[in-house]
Amino acid sequence: MAGKPKLYYFNGRGKMESIRWLLAAAGVEFEEEFLETREQYEKLLKGGSLLFQQVPMVEIDGMKMVQTRAILNYIAAKYNLYGKDLKERALIDMYVGGTDDLMGFILMYPFLSAEDKEKQRAFIVEKATSRYFPVYEKILKDHGQDFLVGNSFSWADVHLFEAILMVEEKKSDVLSGFPRLQAFKAKISSIPTIKKFLQPGSQRKPVPDDKYVETVRRVLRMYYDVKPN
């Protein structure tokens, strides 16, 4: 029997959080090794584990996988969360790609100055409500089903649900004008594996704090200021 996947990243969200979400949605238990020092990171580099000198890195099925999208693709396919045919997979890829764009605006947020954070918060909410959420609202309206693709639970649903929660942390009533996304959120949150991951004590990470930011900057030697979109 194969061991549990092992995740190498910081003790925080970042790009690894979507991997945690997808594994949790699939009901897969996983282990984590948190990077806290530059020495840990350099050890991975010297050992050749980080193919492009970047984390996240996931040990799974005898592989040491890097590149977030490759890892997510593999997990989605392995656990039947990637559609039933090539057409459904293409739709999932499109929807995940759009959600990724929205998430990208949020991932940089903790690394901004206080002044830039206020500007970025408004930017995130504006983009979510004018560009991204209307698309998913229309998809759900047009096909009249509970899920985004093929009326079955997929990676696209997990990714959108994660993004909704992230935007709600910036504006709690952001879904007020999107009734179908409100129903979608309720539906996804009731799925047993998702419900479990939402409970206190799970491996879901909290909103990034100053300690997380300082650790990432120190380990990766980020001596520059991040600028908002």
Side-chain angles (χ1 to χ4, degrees):
M1 181 177 178
K4 297 177 182 177
K6 187 171 182 179
L7 284 48
Y8 294 80
Y9 201 67
F10 306 98
N11 188 11
R13 291 183 182 175
K15 291 189 174 183
M16 185 64 88
E17 191 71 355
S18 292
I19 297 169
R20 297 184 186 107
W21 266 104
L22 194 56
L23 286 168
V28 179
E29 295 183 357
F30 56 88
E31 299 174 347
E32 300 190 75
E33 180 172 316
F34 299 127
L35 299 181
E36 298 176 345
T37 67
R38 179 71 184 182
E39 289 72 26
Q40 285 177 286
Y41 175 66
E42 290 180 346
K43 183 178 179 180
L44 291 176
L45 288 175
K46 291 174 182 177
S49 297
L50 304 184
L51 197 60
F52 301 105
Q53 302 179 28
Q54 296 172 316
V55 288
M57 192 264 282
V58 175
E59 286 188 26
I60 184 170
D61 295 341
M63 298 182 290
K64 292 183 177 180
M65 295 194 69
V66 295
Q67 293 296 316
T68 307
R69 181 56 70 90
I71 297 167
L72 289 165
N73 285 347
Y74 183 81
I75 294 168
K78 179 178 173 69
Y79 295 106
N80 300 314
L81 293 170
Y82 210 174
K84 70 178 186 296
D85 55 32
L86 195 58
K87 184 176 180 180
E88 287 193 358
R89 183 168 293 194
L91 290 173
I92 290 169
D93 284 340
M94 282 200 306
Y95 300 159
V96 166
T99 310
D100 262 347
D101 291 343
L102 175 58
M103 285 180 170
F105 303 140
I106 303 172
L107 287 175
M108 65 182 294
Y109 181 86
F111 298 90
L112 301 175
S113 67
E115 179 182 356
D116 286 338
K117 279 182 178 179
E118 287 307 308
K119 296 176 184 177
Q120 189 73 359
R121 183 192 301 270
F123 179 86
I124 290 165
V125 172
E126 193 278 326
K127 291 300 181 185
T129 55
S130 68
R131 179 184 293 183
Y132 296 100
F133 288 172
V135 171
Y136 301 114
E137 182 81 2
K138 185 176 186 301
I139 291 166
L140 293 168
K141 178 183 178 181
D142 286 351
H143 65 39
Q145 298 171 341
D146 294 330
F147 303 106
L148 289 173
V149 178
N151 201 28
S152 60
F153 184 47
S154 76
W155 173 22
D157 301 306
V158 180
H159 216 51
L160 177 57
F161 182 73
E162 181 190 359
I164 287 171
L165 297 185
M166 291 169 74
V167 179
E168 285 184 330
E169 290 170 348
K170 303 294 178 276
K171 190 174 189 294
S172 60
D173 64 346
V174 73
L175 289 186
S176 60
F178 302 97
R180 287 171 181 82
L181 284 181
Q182 292 176 40
F184 171 85
K185 178 189 170 187
K187 173 73 175 181
I188 302 302
S189 63
S190 69
I191 293 172
T193 54
I194 298 293
K195 188 174 182 179
K196 181 179 179 181
F197 197 57
L198 290 169
Q199 296 301 309
S202 80
Q203 288 167 290
R204 183 188 178 205
K205 304 306 179 217
V207 176
D209 58 13
D210 290 343
K211 180 180 179 181
Y212 167 77
V213 171
E214 192 278 329
T215 300
V216 174
R217 287 186 179 276
R218 184 181 68 253
V219 172
L220 298 183
R221 294 181 176 169
M222 291 174 58
Y223 302 128
Y224 54 88
D225 291 331
V226 176
K227 298 298 181 183
N229 287 286

